[in-house]
Amino acid sequence: MAPISSLAVYGTLLLQSLVAATPFPRYFQNNPLTRRNLTTAVVQRELGHILSNDTLIFGPESPEFPEASSRWNEFVQPHVEIIVEPAQEADISKIVRYCNDNSIEFLVKNRGHGFTTSLNAFKGLQINMIKLQGVDIAANGQTALLQGGAFADPTVRALWDKGYVTRGVTLGGGHGRLEGLYGLAADGVVHLNVVTSDGSEIGVNATSHRDLFWAMRGAGHNFGIVTSSRIKIHPRPKSTWHYHSYTWTGDKLEAVFEEINKLHKSVNGSAPVLLGMDAGTYTLNQSISKTEPVIFWDFAYNGPAEEAEAMLQPFNAIEAVLQNVRDVPYVQIPDYNVTTQRRLYGLFARTLAQYPVMARGTLLAHEGYGNKAVQQVPSHATAYPHREQNFIVYLKATVPEGSGLLEPARAWAKETFDLLMEGQGPGQTPKTYVNYAWGHPWETAKSMYGDEPWRLALLKKLKAKYDPFNRFRFYNPLVAAK
Ligand SMILES: Cc1cc2nc3c(=O)[nH]c(=O)nc-3n(C[C@H](O)[C@H](O)[C@H](O)COP(=O)(O)OP(=O)(O)OC[C@H]3O[C@@H](n4cnc5c(N)ncnc54)[C@H](O)[C@@H]3O)c2cc1C
Ligand SMILES: *[C@@H]1O[C@H](CO)[C@@H](O)[C@H](O)[C@H]1NC(C)=O
Ligand SMILES: *[C@@H]1O[C@H](CO)[C@@H](O)[C@H](O)[C@H]1NC(C)=O
Ligand SMILES: *[C@@H]1O[C@H](CO)[C@@H](O)[C@H](O)[C@H]1NC(C)=O
Ligand SMILES: *[C@@H]1O[C@H](CO)[C@@H](O)[C@H](O)[C@H]1NC(C)=O
Ligand SMILES: *[C@@H]1O[C@H](CO)[C@@H](O)[C@H](O)[C@H]1NC(C)=O
Ligand SMILES: *[C@@H]1O[C@H](CO)[C@@H](O)[C@H](O)[C@H]1NC(C)=O
């Protein structure tokens, strides 16, 4: 999922192909009118006059287009034929209705961080949320109303941690350094203003469309467009964060993972709530060794240094090559399987030895979060299905353009996945964090949205109710395209 050079080629100025390529008009099977020659100019004229006057509508011929359609992962190239940047929330429902009337697919882009290749199936009109940046903090200081594209506002930056703000993140759950204290980003949502697949504008919360409220918190990308949301806000943590990172050689792997596993259940079965996050990677640091990857691990603690260092004492005892210091029996807690980690490490080293050109930027990453508040929310309370999971592991492989190594990289990803599955012991099913899914075949709807039969059945029932024609199917779809 590493950014490579841009491959973007947007050929046609006509939307003709868009309409012709729609396999069958899902929404308007009885609509005799299938538009055959919709151009950027026609859409500008027709849609432009019903939307607020600061809205922008432009096609590939426009100089703004490359920036407005760019994405973090350049392997992901949804076929964007026209872009609309609504200036007001009320525009969104009109855009959706217009798309439905003309059999045009639509896709929301927020920050463009979504990196799943499922987005490649998209062809049509992109709704950019960039102009909807409003932030309004309630008088009581407990919640804030954020428009669908808000992320840049300094208030937002000050109040929320990285990852807590963009809607794309929240809709899939939202992991971040405050979750030990406050839960997932989705757990802080109080109310959502949503435009559904037929263009209706509805309020979604614990008392209004309660079923959809459940689904939007974990599987939200499949259900509607969030034009704004009210979320809980919290006073800034009083203390500073204490960061301590270590770089260890590969022979320390077992010692490191044993201590990480202990740390994650050291306080009544959970990680210390003030341990915001610990994240580790395997990478090749050529100045340390040309063949043996190093283990890099960084801890972020929201409290005083002495307290953090007391917690980190066991790690200080494992001899590191480099260090950098900046200023419960609840449920069954899964561990990292140390045997598996040794195998993953070996696979990492072997693969990079075989394909050294991939080494730059390639890493096997591990993330662990403080999870107390996440696990205090009952698993059935929201659509997010993986509250019991402590850790996230992913492989980010750099494939230089023209190297022909995409297939070996895919095979490596598959082998990594197989090792992780094997290490989970018998009876475990694959679990994918939807926001980190890449589009691999083993990232099934069950693995992303939960494999309890009741959960999937409920999601599918809600899907039939709120999006019967599957308009929201491009971001890690719950229901595959027919
Ligand atoms: C650099 C980077 C850092 C990350 N950090 C974190 C992190 O700390 N924690 C974490 O949990 N995840 C993190 N992620 C993963 C992130 O959650 C997903 O990439 C997510 O899809 C990004 O959402 P976006 O709005 O930024 O991206 P987009 O690509 O703009 O949106 C992704 C999808 O979300 C949907 N969507 C977006 N906005 C709306 C809306 N208003 N209404 C309805 N649907 C919408 C659309 O289906 C869209 O395709 C990170 C990813 C990257 C690349
Ligand atoms: C295409 O648009 C032009 C006007 O721009 C119109 O005269 C023509 O009939 C349209 N063709 C079709 C097939 O709709
Ligand atoms: C846009 O609309 C607002 C109110 O609807 C109006 O005050 C303003 O003059 C309009 N601007 C332009 C450039 O038409
Ligand atoms: C829930 O949504 C309804 C409909 O939009 C709204 O009237 C009500 O005030 C909302 N409740 C909360 C707590 O936001
Ligand atoms: C651990 O759990 C016990 C029993 O529920 C409780 O009394 C105690 O305060 C908890 N300790 C911490 C540090 O949370
Ligand atoms: C690699 O190791 C050297 C020391 O040998 C260090 O200075 C450098 O910061 C390391 N690089 C990274 C990316 O950690
Ligand atoms: C850890 O992984 C190994 C190798 O796949 C496996 O044999 C073992 O059962 C796993 N341990 C646990 C506790 O699941």
Side-chain angles (χ1 to χ4, degrees):
M1 67 181 176
I4 312 296
S5 65
S6 176
L7 306 167
V9 181
Y10 296 98
T12 169
L13 303 189
L14 286 180
L15 290 184
Q16 200 165 7
S17 54
L18 174 164
V19 175
T22 303
F24 37 86
R26 272 166 290 272
Y27 239 77
F28 294 94
Q29 284 167 6
N30 298 325
N31 189 337
L33 234 169
T34 299
R35 300 286 295 278
R36 295 238 158 257
N37 59 353
L38 225 38
T39 60
T40 304
V42 171
V43 176
Q44 278 170 334
R45 194 166 61 239
E46 294 179 347
L47 194 50
H49 94 269
I50 57 172
L51 302 182
S52 58
N53 59 12
D54 290 334
T55 295
L56 291 182
I57 303 175
F58 51 92
E61 68 280 15
S62 153
E64 284 85 30
F65 193 86
E67 172 68 25
S69 59
S70 71
R71 306 195 63 87
W72 179 80
N73 174 4
E74 297 186 13
F75 273 118
V76 169
Q77 297 288 337
H79 192 140
V80 177
E81 299 190 301
I82 187 162
I83 294 176
V84 182
E85 295 185 348
Q88 290 179 14
E89 286 181 52
D91 293 325
I92 292 180
S93 124
K94 293 172 190 158
I95 298 168
V96 168
R97 286 179 208 272
Y98 179 82
C99 287
N100 287 342
D101 286 344
N102 292 287
S103 297
I104 302 173
E105 299 293 357
F106 52 85
L107 175 72
V108 174
K109 180 186 171 204
N110 193 336
R111 299 210 64 187
H113 278 173
F115 48 70
T116 175
T117 54
S118 67
L119 288 166
N120 286 336
F122 173 76
K123 185 174 195 192
L125 179 149
Q126 180 172 283
I127 303 172
N128 276 13
M129 302 300 275
I130 185 102
K131 287 177 178 279
L132 298 172
Q133 293 282 338
V135 174
D136 183 19
I137 298 187
N140 67 12
Q142 303 201 331
T143 64
L145 187 67
L146 268 60
Q147 284 194 314
F151 66 85
D153 186 286
T155 331
V156 174
R157 290 199 184 171
L159 284 169
W160 295 281
D161 211 9
K162 162 182 105 121
Y164 264 57
V165 183
T166 71
R167 288 330 84 196
V169 175
T170 311
L171 296 173
H175 285 286
R177 277 178 299 167
L178 298 178
E179 72 181 77
L181 286 170
Y182 305 126
L184 298 167
D187 294 333
V189 174
V190 179
H191 175 90
L192 297 166
N193 290 314
V194 172
V195 169
T196 55
S197 59
D198 64 356
S200 307
E201 296 176 286
I202 58 175
V204 177
N205 56 46
T207 51
S208 166
H209 299 282
R210 190 190 170 86
D211 52 359
L212 187 57
F213 189 51
W214 177 84
M216 293 298 291
R217 293 173 296 160
H221 319 88
N222 290 278
F223 286 94
I225 300 177
V226 176
T227 63
S228 55
S229 52
R230 183 166 294 287
I231 70 172
K232 285 184 209 154
I233 58 177
H234 304 281
R236 281 193 90 144
K238 284 186 250 27
S239 174
T240 52
W241 288 83
H242 182 77
Y243 283 90
H244 193 156
S245 73
Y246 306 79
T247 302
W248 286 292
T249 48
D251 56 311
K252 305 297 189 307
L253 185 145
E254 285 76 8
V256 169
F257 276 95
E258 272 151 27
E259 290 305 332
I260 300 262
N261 286 338
K262 275 191 220 159
L263 178 64
H264 272 266
K265 46 180 114 171
S266 59
V267 183
N268 275 354
S270 289
V273 292
L274 296 180
L275 172 63
M277 184 182 185
D278 66 274
T281 54
Y282 303 156
T283 55
L284 205 57
N285 183 329
Q286 312 254 9
S287 73
I288 295 173
S289 164
K290 300 254 181 274
T291 51
E292 300 221 332
V294 292
I295 302 165
F296 170 86
W297 218 278
D298 198 12
F299 297 83
Y301 186 84
N302 188 205
E306 317 82 75
E307 224 174 276
E309 288 300 327
M311 174 190 84
L312 292 173
Q313 204 288 319
F315 298 95
N316 292 333
I318 306 172
E319 193 195 340
V321 194
L322 300 168
Q323 291 193 47
N324 181 8
V325 180
R326 289 106 70 210
D327 251 58
V328 324
Y330 287 131
V331 286
Q332 188 211 340
I333 311 239
D335 285 340
Y336 285 118
N337 181 326
V338 180
T339 310
T340 300
Q341 286 302 328
R342 173 51 73 193
R343 293 183 183 175
L344 289 172
Y345 178 88
L347 176 64
F348 188 92
R350 281 196 308 280
T351 313
L352 288 189
Q354 193 178 351
Y355 306 112
V357 41
M358 278 206 264
R360 195 192 180 89
T362 287
L363 47 85
L364 185 73
H366 303 75
E367 294 179 359
Y369 295 93
N371 46 12
K372 186 169 177 217
V374 176
Q375 294 178 351
Q376 279 169 343
V377 176
S379 169
H380 58 77
T382 68
Y384 183 79
H386 302 315
R387 287 181 189 275
E388 79 294 353
Q389 296 295 316
N390 275 354
F391 302 118
I392 302 179
V393 177
Y394 62 88
L395 174 68
K396 173 175 167 284
T398 305
V399 179
E401 205 180 350
S403 66
L405 292 181
L406 192 55
E407 276 320 308
R410 283 212 172 108
W412 182 13
K414 173 73 166 81
E415 216 175 320
T416 297
F417 168 76
D418 288 343
L419 280 176
L420 284 167
M421 282 312 294
E422 210 184 297
Q424 291 199 20
Q428 289 292 327
T429 50
K431 295 180 175 60
T432 306
Y433 175 37
V434 62
N435 280 341
Y436 286 9
W438 148 276
H440 290 299
W442 58 85
E443 293 162 353
T444 58
K446 271 188 183 177
S447 83
M448 295 186 287
Y449 298 112
D451 50 17
E452 306 101 308
W454 70 267
R455 191 185 293 276
L456 267 188
L458 178 53
L459 279 172
K460 289 190 173 156
K461 191 176 125 199
L462 295 172
K463 186 74 178 166
K465 176 175 171 186
Y466 286 104
D467 184 17
F469 300 101
N470 206 6
R471 304 311 306 266
F472 298 105
R473 66 170 186 286
F474 299 103
Y475 188 86
N476 297 322
L478 177 64
V479 179
K482 293 245 167 45

